[in-house]
């Protein structure tokens, strides 16, 4: 099954660390792809933190379409980076012609716009880009958000690293938060969008498992928000639920866990807040997950968390040292990145908690 | 030669024929005493006997008059095939068999000027059911393990009550970030997903009613299953209204409003709220027709409860004066909600028909948040009496209609806001757990059942026209009669025990189905779990086709 991992650090970290983290778990995935989202960017993006960056993989034609859309919406490009790719023969990768990371200034009409209006604009623009390039796979718009870049590719993660020259650490392309997945493409034809992590309006989520409630989740979510589209992977639902609970309903993060894995009735009735918990369970019954899953998520303020399904059917470990916290499906991943940590403080989250890492790198365990 | 009376009714006109073996019969009279329909009786027959008195055969003939048991060839006393005579006969001398050449529908109408009526089973279309072409097909394996039905905790509860969408919940955030509730939310009760369906106290004998009530109390208080039962049209005994057991009862208000008076009068003395109110707009077995309670069954206590004199009682087909969903249902909901000060969920029961989805669509937009459930009743259901023609020729199966309602909710993003409950022939094969499970996968929050409860009690009827004499007041086992002699045949303790045992077995079976799909809560809307070996069914219900 897929392996997932995440790094959150005080210092800027190069994605080679994420590759290492995933590579040691190689037995657990099938080499069909690698994807990562980097947040809180350093290096060449450090000066543009307040402006949205678009992450694209596309053909020439796709690039034209994207440009036309961005122009029409009045975005002004202030920075562009196309990573040097290494198109050597023999690499197991289904590369696209272009990988483009473009940072834009907001349209002039948005000079005085509220935060919310800007957030909606960014989402709508990404959806338009996605739709515009969809036909004949002219391109993929993974994210369009300040301080975020996304890279997804089909192929062997090792070769993907070579292709993008990201085995060699440098200080140009770094971030303080990196989430990554090595995929195993069991159920679906390979679709680029299906690779985790998924991203919407500052929220990132990735999962290791299957969503047996996919049908239920999807049927409910597709009417909840215009941004809840695609459903290329059954785990995409977890992102949408996170966004719905935290962003749309405005409920604090602990309630996410109550929604996806509600307490059994016999436990709810013992709680002081039973009224609220029951109301939640009733109203959002279709967002429950009941199958085997571990979820890693990042909130717009870069808070990172992980939680599991209600029966704890999938593994996850949290390890740390002074400056870095690493989350991984298997402990060997953490050993690779933090070989000298005190492994006795590793956390194996249980089925009824959320492990949260805030921006001071404080690790908290919240009991559901 | 005697005139042959060709036009008289003969036994071979009737749906059932008696097989009698005089050589085994000891004339004990048990069968005659037991047959409540007077379908058999004693008769003298002139018999010719050949005998010999000498050592070598010298045949002589003698004629004697001999008593035998014979079938009555009267339209009023036709044999129902209930098999009670066979049960009681100590010598295996009598039984009934179906008459495939029956002319019953013709002779009944020609001699009575009216169509036949019977207890509610649909007999015309006895075929493989849609539900039986469905199987639970998504079985968890290595990557999504199945559960242990015996050890894991399962959450087998279903909601009754209006559920608000999350963004309308009256929540505020306290200083510590926790959600706190501000203001009223509609009442929601989490109950066992199988409700004992609405059978009226007039339709059932008092012992039967008592037995069900006893079983329900036992299931709640001793077994921990919060099973609810629904009264039928006609209210319930005042003593029960004022008892603490009322909390297990859903009060039905049907088109005749029978019994509602008493309920209102008992309100000041109620120590508990009822579990819910069910407004019956239509019923599945005989949609567009009213329930019949024959005068024969309107005993004194029924007259008292319903507040009517002894007469044939018809629950009108619809609530008279309610002619649009918007106006009238709102009015009813408001008044019934108000009667219990918005503490009791109020649900509505309609018949599965071409328009039930429109009704559901309308209700789902309910701006007052007072519709606490949508009970959808399909053609195969029904225990009450009705005209044959209604039972056989009207109505709609519930499976596809239920699915339509669920998908309508999905299309609007409102699934679950009005809990869907479905019934109609569920448990017809004896296995309610499987049927309930499949209905839930198709979108039902829970199911309700009536007929099967009668079968648990020992009802002899079946869907092949056996017995089905519930309308006559002559129920041979004392379930649907008010005649003291017949009611005594029913042992309420045994009945209660049967019902309790069945529910316990069903509960285990439900878990046995939830476990392999890896689900610890009810599989509402998990149509991905079902497969059908029938292409048409698979397409219609939008589930996977397998062959
Ligand atoms: S089968 Fe039933 S109705 Fe028919 S004769 Fe026997 S007891 Fe009477
Ligand atoms: S309830 Fe009584 S009358 Fe009705 S079918 Fe069953 S046994 Fe016959």
């Amino acid at each position: 099954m897929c392996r997932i991992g995440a790094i959150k650090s005080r210092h800027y970290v190069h994605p080679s660390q994420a590759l290492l983290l995933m590579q040691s778990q190689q037995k657990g995935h099938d080499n069909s792809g690698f994807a990562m989202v980097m947040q809180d960017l350093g290096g060449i993006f450090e000066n543009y933190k307040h402006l949205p960056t678009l992450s694209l993989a596309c053909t020439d034609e796709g690039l034209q379409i994207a440009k036309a859309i961005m122009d029409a919406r009045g975005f002004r490009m202030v920075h562009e980076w196309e990573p040097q790719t290494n198109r050597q023969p023999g690499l197991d990768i289904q590369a696209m012609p272009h990988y483009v990371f473009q940072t834009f200034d907001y349209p002039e009409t948005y000079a005085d716009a509220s935060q919310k209006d800007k957030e909606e604009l960014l989402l709508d623009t990404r959806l338009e880009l996605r739709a515009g390039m969809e036909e004949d796979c002219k391109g993929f718009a993974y994210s369009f958000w300040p301080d975020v870049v996304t890279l997804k590719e089909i192929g062997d993660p090792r070769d993907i690293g070579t292709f993008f020259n990201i085995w060699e650490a440098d200080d140009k392309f770094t971030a303080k938060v990196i989430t990554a997945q090595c995929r195993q493409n069991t159920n679906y034809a390979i679709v680029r969008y299906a690779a985790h992590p998924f991203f919407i309006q500052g929220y990132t989520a990735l999962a290791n498992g299957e969503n047996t409630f996919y049908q239920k989740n999807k049927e409910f979510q597709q009417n909840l928000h215009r941004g809840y589209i695609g459903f290329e992977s059954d785990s995409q639902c977890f992102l949408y639920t996170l966004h719905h609970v935290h962003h749309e309903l405005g409920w604090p993060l602990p309630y996410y866990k109550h929604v996806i894995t509600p307490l059994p009735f016999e436990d709810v009735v013992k709680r002081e807040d039973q009224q609220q918990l029951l109301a939640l369970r009733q109203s959002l019954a279709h967002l429950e997950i009941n199958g085997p899953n571990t979820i890693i998520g990042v909130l717009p303020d870069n808070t990172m968390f992980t939680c599991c399904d209600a029966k704890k059917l999938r593994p996850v470990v949290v390890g740390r040292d002074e400056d870095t916290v690493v989350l991984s499906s298997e402990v060997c991943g953490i050993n690779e990145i933090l070989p000298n940590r005190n492994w006795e403080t590793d956390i194996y989250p249980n089925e009824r908690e959320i492990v949260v890492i805030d921006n001071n790198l404080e690790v908290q365990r919240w009991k559901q | 030669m005697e005139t042959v009376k060709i036009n008289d009714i003969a036994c071979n006109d009737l749906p059932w024929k008696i097989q009698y073996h005089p050589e085994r019969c000891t004339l004990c009279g048990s069968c005659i005493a037991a047959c409540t329909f007077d379908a058999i009786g004693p008769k003298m027959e002139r018999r010719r006997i050949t005998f010999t008195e000498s050592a070598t055969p010298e045949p002589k003939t003698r004629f004697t008059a001999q008593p035998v048991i014979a079938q009555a060839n009267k339209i009023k006393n036709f044999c129902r095939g209930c098999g009670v005579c066979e049960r009681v006969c100590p010598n295996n001398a009598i039984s009934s068999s179906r008459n495939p050449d029956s002319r019953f529908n013709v002779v009944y109408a020609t001699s009575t000027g009216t169509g036949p009526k019977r207890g509610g089973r649909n007999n015309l279309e006895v075929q493989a059911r849609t539900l039986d072409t469905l199987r639970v097909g998504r079985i968890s394996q290595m990557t999504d393990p199945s559960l242990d039905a015996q050890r894991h905790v399962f959450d087998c509860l279903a909601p009754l009550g209006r559920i608000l969408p999350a963004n309308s919940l009256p929540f505020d955030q306290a200083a510590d970030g926790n959600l706190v509730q501000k203001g009223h939310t509609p009442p929601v009760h989490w109950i066992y997903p199988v409700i004992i369906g609405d059978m009226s106290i007039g339709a059932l004998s008092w012992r039967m009613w008592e037995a069900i009530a006893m079983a329900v109390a036992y299931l709640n208080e001793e077994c921990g299953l919060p099973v609810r039962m629904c009264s039928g049209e006609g209210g319930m005994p005042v003593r029960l209204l004022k008892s603490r057991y009322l909390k297990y009862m859903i009060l039905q208000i049907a088109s005749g409003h029978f019994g509602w008076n008493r309920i209102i009068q008992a309100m000041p003395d109620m120590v508990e709220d009822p579990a819910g109110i069910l407004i019956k707009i239509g019923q599945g077995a005989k949609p567009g027709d009213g329930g019949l309670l024959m005068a024969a069954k309107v005993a004194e206590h029924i007259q008292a409860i319903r507040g009517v004199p002894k007469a044939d009682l018809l629950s009108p087909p619809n609530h008279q004066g309610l002619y649009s969903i918007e106006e009238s249902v709102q009015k009813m909901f408001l008044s019934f909600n108000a009667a219990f000060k918005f503490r009791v969920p109020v649900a509505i029961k309609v018949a599965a028909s071409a328009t039930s989805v429109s009704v559901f669509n309308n209700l789902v937009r309910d701006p007052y948040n007072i519709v606490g459930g949508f009970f959808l009743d399909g053609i195969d259901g029904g225990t009450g009496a009705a005209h044959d023609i209604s039972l056989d020729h009207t109505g709609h199966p519930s499976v596809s209609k239920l699915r339509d309602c669920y998908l309508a909710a999905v299309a609007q993003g409102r699934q679950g806001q009005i809990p869907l409950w479905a019934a109609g022939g569920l448990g017809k094969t004896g296995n309610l757990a499987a049927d309930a499970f499949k209905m839930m996968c198709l979108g039902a929050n829970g199911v309700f059942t009536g007929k099967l409860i009668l079968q648990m009690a020992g009802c002899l009827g079946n869907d092949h026209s056996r017995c089905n004499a519930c309308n006559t007041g002559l129920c041979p086992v004392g379930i649907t009669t008010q005649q003291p002699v017949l009611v005594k045949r029913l042992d309420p303790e045994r009945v209660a025990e049967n019902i309790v045992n069945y529910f316990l077995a069903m509960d285990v079976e439900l878990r046995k189905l939830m476990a392999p799909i890896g689900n610890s809560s009810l599989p509402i809307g998990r149509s991905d779990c079902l497969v059908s070996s029938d292409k048409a069914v698979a397409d219609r219900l939008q589930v996977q086709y397998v062959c």
Side-chain angles (χ1 to χ4, degrees):
Chain A
M1 66 200 63
C2 300
R3 288 298 185 269
I4 52 175
I7 303 172
K8 185 163 168 63
S9 179
R10 285 186 212 285
H11 309 303
Y12 288 114
V13 176
H14 188 262
S16 54
Q17 293 291 298
L19 278 170
L20 283 172
L21 167 65
M22 303 313 293
Q23 198 56 37
S24 57
Q25 306 174 59
Q26 203 274 335
K27 280 208 179 85
H29 52 82
D30 69 357
N31 289 337
S32 65
F34 174 80
M36 64 174 178
V37 173
M38 295 166 62
Q39 280 151 290
D40 201 347
L41 303 171
I44 50 172
F45 291 102
E46 198 173 355
N47 296 329
Y48 301 101
K49 279 183 172 295
H50 60 295
L51 292 180
T53 298
L54 174 64
S55 301
L56 283 183
C58 57
T59 61
D60 292 342
E61 216 181 332
L63 203 56
Q64 294 310 316
I65 295 171
K67 184 173 180 334
I69 291 173
M70 299 309 280
D71 287 349
R73 284 197 174 249
F75 280 101
R76 291 164 296 156
M77 202 201 298
V78 295
H79 179 236
E80 181 178 31
W81 182 59
E82 249 193 86
Q84 270 277 292
T85 52
N86 179 0
R87 294 193 186 251
Q88 73 188 47
L91 291 182
D92 175 10
I93 176 172
Q94 296 177 22
M96 293 290 288
H98 297 285
Y99 297 90
V100 187
F101 300 94
Q102 297 171 331
T103 308
F104 291 89
D105 201 351
Y106 290 97
E108 263 161 14
T109 45
Y110 276 72
D112 298 324
S114 67
Q115 179 65 17
K116 186 170 183 310
D117 288 344
K118 286 182 180 168
E119 289 183 4
E120 300 303 304
L121 170 73
L122 296 183
L123 176 67
D124 285 331
T125 309
R126 178 173 64 80
L127 295 177
E128 192 185 343
L129 286 165
R130 177 182 166 138
M133 300 188 299
E134 195 130 57
E135 205 182 313
D136 304 328
C137 294
K138 290 194 195 89
F140 301 86
Y142 296 122
S143 59
F144 183 37
W145 199 255
D147 217 10
V148 173
V149 300
T150 303
L151 190 131
K152 297 189 179 190
E153 201 37 81
I154 297 170
D156 185 332
R158 190 190 306 264
D159 291 351
I160 293 170
T162 307
F163 180 82
F164 287 106
N165 287 315
I166 45 173
W167 280 112
E168 286 300 316
D170 60 31
D171 51 12
K172 270 170 56 189
F173 189 41
T174 55
K176 288 184 179 170
V177 176
I178 304 180
T179 47
Q181 181 224 25
C182 279
R183 64 195 292 195
Q184 185 169 48
N185 224 317
T186 29
N187 295 347
Y188 312 93
I190 290 190
V191 180
R192 259 161 226 271
Y193 279 125
H196 314 211
F198 304 107
F199 183 86
I200 185 172
Q201 291 195 318
Y203 294 83
T204 307
L206 58 169
N208 164 24
E210 347 231 319
N211 180 6
T212 40
F213 273 17
Y214 170 67
Q215 177 84 12
K216 243 177 116 141
N217 288 175
K218 177 190 160 183
E219 280 177 349
F220 192 65
Q221 288 169 338
Q222 63 198 7
N223 283 305
L224 275 181
H225 193 277
R226 68 188 188 290
Y228 302 169
I229 58 160
F231 298 100
E232 292 91 359
S233 160
D234 59 0
S235 317
Q236 219 159 346
C237 302
F238 307 148
L239 171 70
Y240 296 152
T241 298
L242 175 64
H243 180 263
H244 182 66
V245 170
H246 197 260
H247 189 266
E248 297 297 298
L249 297 173
W251 297 346
L253 185 60
Y255 290 99
Y256 178 57
K257 184 74 174 142
H258 281 296
V259 170
I260 57 171
T261 61
L263 292 169
F265 288 106
E266 56 181 54
D267 293 338
V268 168
V269 294
K270 294 179 202 141
R271 302 256 308 209
E272 261 178 33
D273 54 352
Q274 53 165 291
Q275 218 183 346
Q276 290 87 310
L277 295 187
L278 271 177
L280 232 90
R281 178 168 195 171
Q282 280 157 202
S283 299
L284 296 173
H286 289 262
L287 295 181
E288 188 190 335
I289 62 170
N290 212 267
N293 272 292
T294 285
I295 298 167
I296 295 176
V298 183
L299 304 183
D301 69 356
N302 292 328
T303 301
M304 186 182 276
F305 71 90
T306 183
C307 58
C308 302
D309 64 82
K311 292 166 217 97
K312 179 72 184 141
L313 295 168
R314 281 288 185 277
V316 66
V317 199
V318 183
R320 65 163 307 162
D321 68 8
E322 279 293 286
D323 294 324
T324 307
V325 179
V326 179
L327 279 61
S328 170
S329 300
E330 294 179 81
V331 74
C332 61
I334 307 180
N335 294 345
E336 193 80 35
I337 313 275
L338 303 174
N340 300 320
R341 78 190 188 285
N342 175 8
W343 56 265
E344 283 179 9
T345 60
D346 284 358
I347 298 171
Y348 291 79
N350 71 39
E351 62 274 23
R352 287 292 172 204
E353 67 179 353
I354 302 187
V355 176
V356 185
I357 302 121
D358 67 16
N359 287 333
N360 298 319
L361 285 207
E362 230 179 277
V363 179
Q364 298 175 30
R365 305 179 72 164
W366 296 348
K367 206 167 152 17
Q368 183 180 1
Chain B
M1 197 178 141
E2 213 178 338
T3 315
V4 179
K5 292 181 182 140
I6 287 294
N7 279 338
D8 282 359
I9 303 288
C11 287
N12 66 4
D13 288 329
L14 302 177
W16 295 83
K17 285 209 279 199
I18 287 299
Q19 314 289 312
Y20 176 61
H21 304 281
E23 70 283 5
R24 293 203 195 134
C25 177
T26 55
L27 291 171
C28 71
S30 303
C31 57
I32 297 176
C35 176
T36 54
F37 306 104
D38 282 337
I40 42 176
K43 187 180 148 195
M44 294 304 281
E45 277 180 1
R46 182 170 178 256
R47 293 278 163 95
R48 174 175 174 273
I49 298 173
T50 309
F51 63 101
T52 181
E53 284 170 333
S54 60
T56 51
E58 272 174 46
K60 293 182 193 162
T61 303
R62 187 175 75 209
F63 289 86
T64 63
Q66 189 177 320
V68 291
I69 311 285
Q71 181 172 4
N73 51 355
K74 276 196 231 134
I75 211 90
K76 178 165 169 276
N77 301 103
F78 71 93
C79 167
R80 318 286 168 136
C82 71
V84 164
C85 48
E86 188 177 350
R87 268 171 198 251
V88 299
C89 174
N91 305 312
N92 216 357
I94 193 165
S95 64
S96 57
S97 66
R98 192 186 309 279
N99 175 13
D101 302 311
S102 157
R103 297 173 65 234
F104 188 68
N105 280 344
V106 177
V107 295
Y108 193 95
T110 50
S111 53
T112 62
T114 165
K117 303 168 193 66
R118 63 166 194 265
R121 274 182 179 79
N122 115 290
N123 304 149
L124 205 61
E125 204 181 343
V126 182
Q127 58 183 27
R129 301 172 319 150
T130 308
L131 283 175
D132 297 328
T133 73
L134 294 170
R135 280 178 158 243
V136 180
R138 184 193 163 116
I139 305 301
S140 295
Q141 303 202 72
M142 283 208 274
T143 58
D144 50 341
S146 41
L147 305 175
D148 182 331
Q150 245 87 36
R151 285 187 308 137
H152 275 108
V153 177
F154 292 85
D155 257 357
C156 298
L157 295 181
L160 177 64
R162 179 69 159 94
I163 288 171
L164 295 181
N167 56 11
S168 317
L169 288 172
F171 281 167
D172 264 5
Q173 232 164 292
D176 56 3
N178 287 337
L179 299 177
V180 285
Q181 189 159 336
K182 288 256 147 61
H184 176 84
T185 46
V188 178
H189 296 319
W190 285 86
I191 59 177
Y192 198 73
V194 180
I195 291 176
I196 296 181
D198 31 334
M199 295 176 287
S200 77
I201 200 163
L204 302 183
S205 70
W206 69 88
R207 278 197 171 192
M208 179 64 189
W209 227 80
E210 202 176 281
I212 305 177
M214 217 154 44
V216 167
Y218 192 90
L219 283 165
N220 273 278
E221 296 179 3
E222 299 295 325
C223 312
L225 297 190
V227 176
R228 298 290 175 265
M229 80 180 262
C230 187
S231 79
E233 153 115 301
M236 52 173 74
V238 172
R239 212 150 58 94
L240 186 52
L241 286 170
K242 293 182 182 171
S243 82
R244 66 183 181 83
Y245 298 105
L246 185 64
K247 60 175 183 265
Y248 305 137
M249 307 284 164
I250 297 169
L251 298 177
Q252 189 188 72
I253 311 300
S255 38
H257 290 250
F258 296 132
W260 183 235
N261 237 2
R262 273 198 160 195
I263 294 174
I264 291 180
Q265 279 162 11
M267 264 182 204
D269 301 315
M270 285 182 186
V271 294
E272 291 279 355
D273 283 334
I277 305 283
L278 183 65
I279 297 171
K280 188 215 79 176
I281 299 291
Q283 49 206 337
K286 40 184 184 283
D289 198 354
L292 275 179
L293 190 67
M294 305 305 180
K297 293 176 72 173
V298 184
E300 221 167 295
H301 66 283
I302 304 301
Q303 296 171 39
I305 290 175
R306 299 206 169 183
V308 286
K310 190 173 182 74
D312 278 5
L313 296 181
L314 177 78
S315 299
N318 204 344
H319 286 259
Q320 307 297 307
L322 304 180
Y323 292 110
S324 85
I325 306 164
E326 294 76 15
E327 193 187 274
S328 45
V329 176
Q330 274 167 21
K331 199 161 67 191
M332 278 167 49
F333 273 90
L334 281 170
S335 58
F336 293 129
N337 266 294
F340 288 100
K341 309 234 168 358
F342 296 87
R343 290 188 313 253
V344 176
V346 178
I348 175 174
K349 172 173 133 173
V350 303
S353 95
T355 55
S356 41
V357 184
S358 329
V359 178
F360 178 70
N361 270 333
N362 260 288
L363 291 178
V364 137
R365 295 189 202 109
D366 150 36
Y368 305 102
N369 297 326
I370 40 178
V371 185
F374 190 73
F375 283 56
L376 190 66
D377 195 12
I379 189 174
D380 267 349
T383 52
H387 293 259
D388 264 20
I389 194 131
S390 306
L391 289 167
D392 284 346
H393 297 277
T394 63
H396 202 301
S398 60
V399 182
S400 54
K401 279 289 124 160
L402 177 264
R403 186 76 181 134
D404 289 350
C405 287
Y406 180 72
L407 292 175
V410 167
Q412 302 172 56
R414 290 171 188 265
Q415 53 266 61
Q417 291 181 13
I418 294 184
L420 276 166
W421 290 77
L426 303 185
K428 202 167 168 179
T429 55
N431 195 324
L432 184 58
D435 290 354
F437 186 87
K438 292 172 189 175
M439 290 301 264
M440 288 179 204
C441 288
L442 294 171
N445 289 86
V447 299
F448 55 110
T449 183
K451 195 161 71 184
L452 187 66
I453 305 293
L454 301 190
Q455 270 155 349
M456 293 173 201
C459 163
L460 304 163
N462 69 10
D463 279 286
H464 301 274
S465 195
R466 190 168 102 141
C467 196
N468 294 355
C470 324
N471 57 320
T472 57
L474 297 170
C475 171
V477 284
I479 295 174
T480 58
T481 169
Q482 305 295 355
Q483 290 194 15
V485 187
L486 297 179
V487 176
K488 281 217 180 86
R489 291 184 180 182
L490 198 73
D491 174 353
E493 256 107 41
R494 273 292 294 282
V495 173
E497 189 183 324
N498 289 356
I499 296 174
V500 167
N501 284 343
Y502 189 95
F503 267 81
L504 294 178
M506 178 175 66
D507 192 50
V508 173
E509 288 189 331
L510 258 184
R511 285 153 208 257
K512 281 281 177 197
L513 289 173
M514 282 159 73
I517 64 163
N519 235 65
S520 54
S521 56
L522 294 175
I524 320 300
R526 286 212 54 196
S527 53
D528 58 307
C529 287
L530 297 182
V531 297
S532 178
S533 51
D534 182 319
K535 184 79 171 74
V537 169
D539 290 349
R540 179 68 178 79
L541 301 181
Q542 298 181 28
V543 301
Q544 205 185 120
Y545 169 58
V546 291
C547 60

